[in-house]
Amino acid sequence: MKKVTAIYPGSFDPPTNGHLDLIGRGSRIFDQLVVAILRNPEKSPLFSVSERRRMLEELTAEFRNVRVDTFDGLTVDYAAKVKASAVLRGIRALSDYEYELQMALMNRKLRADLETVFMMPAEQYSYLSSRLVREVARLGGKISGLVPDLVEARLREKLDPAAKLSE
Ligand code: PNS
């Protein structure tokens, strides 16, 4: 039987419980799932690519068919490189749909045999985004329950380096 590999591309700055929820769902329907972090020199991220990679590796260690990688260039080219036949993306609210549809159709134009599969995270994460997590954390709001404990700790260290020293 043919084994299906999917990639789950994104920025993951930082990984949230919504991302993890989707990784869990993806790992149940695909034989192999590659969480692929975009190395995007244009953005100024909060966490470096290697920090994000380390966090995601720790967070996905329990999934035997999930691995973490980084990529640059086109998603379709990276998918071809790892022999993936599907791209996994999460859709939270209707507002995601337009952007995701555009990307999915552009990717299909670039590589017709690559399917985009949309999955919905659990509803308690439907309003969650890395951008909002960064903003709330930066302004001192509570983010517990929105990101894994490990990410919460790294965020605290990142935004208040003195916190690490006082531990
Ligand atoms: O988590 P994000 O930031 O929503 O992820 C966006 C991502 C990485 C999936 C998208 O920006 C992407 O695929 N970038 C790679 C470059 C590319 O292939 N661009 C054309 C997409 S149609």
Side-chain angles (χ1 to χ4, degrees):
M1 267 249 295
K2 189 174 169 248
K3 296 233 186 248
V4 179
T5 297
I7 59 167
Y8 178 30
S11 310
F12 306 102
D13 185 33
T16 67
N17 282 342
H19 292 129
L20 274 191
D21 178 279
L22 218 72
I23 291 169
R25 289 172 201 280
S27 79
R28 288 195 287 277
I29 65 162
F30 296 113
D31 297 299
Q32 294 289 329
L33 182 65
V34 184
V35 179
I37 308 164
L38 177 68
R39 296 194 298 266
N40 186 350
E42 281 163 36
K43 278 192 183 175
S44 46
L46 180 62
F47 289 98
S48 70
V49 171
S50 50
E51 286 172 323
R52 281 177 269 159
R53 183 182 194 145
R54 270 200 300 278
M55 286 192 273
L56 280 164
E57 278 171 350
E58 262 187 72
L59 295 167
T60 58
E62 65 180 283
F63 301 106
R64 302 199 67 182
N65 61 343
V66 175
R67 66 184 177 87
V68 181
D69 197 5
T70 65
F71 76 105
D72 52 22
L74 287 174
T75 292
V76 292
D77 290 340
Y78 175 73
K81 190 182 132 198
V82 296
K83 299 186 170 45
S85 49
V87 178
L88 173 65
R89 290 286 291 173
I91 291 224
R92 293 159 300 190
L94 201 55
S95 49
D96 282 339
Y97 179 74
E98 213 168 322
Y99 169 62
E100 293 297 335
L101 178 75
Q102 247 186 334
M103 272 209 299
L105 294 180
M106 178 59 85
N107 283 336
R108 181 181 284 168
K109 171 94 183 126
L110 295 169
R111 196 186 140 197
D113 60 346
L114 184 68
E115 286 300 333
T116 298
V117 175
F118 294 119
M119 295 184 89
M120 288 158 290
E123 58 268 32
Q124 70 262 36
Y125 305 132
S126 58
Y127 62 94
L128 191 54
S129 71
S130 296
R131 186 183 62 77
L132 278 184
V133 164
R134 287 197 303 271
E135 185 172 320
V136 171
R138 199 175 271 137
L139 297 172
K142 232 175 98 207
I143 49 158
S144 49
L146 305 181
V147 294
D149 291 348
L150 158 96
V151 174
E152 192 181 347
R154 304 278 153 85
L155 266 166
R156 229 182 290 121
E157 288 165 22
K158 178 72 74 182
L159 297 170
D160 178 12
K164 191 173 184 192
L165 298 174
S166 66
E167 271 171 12

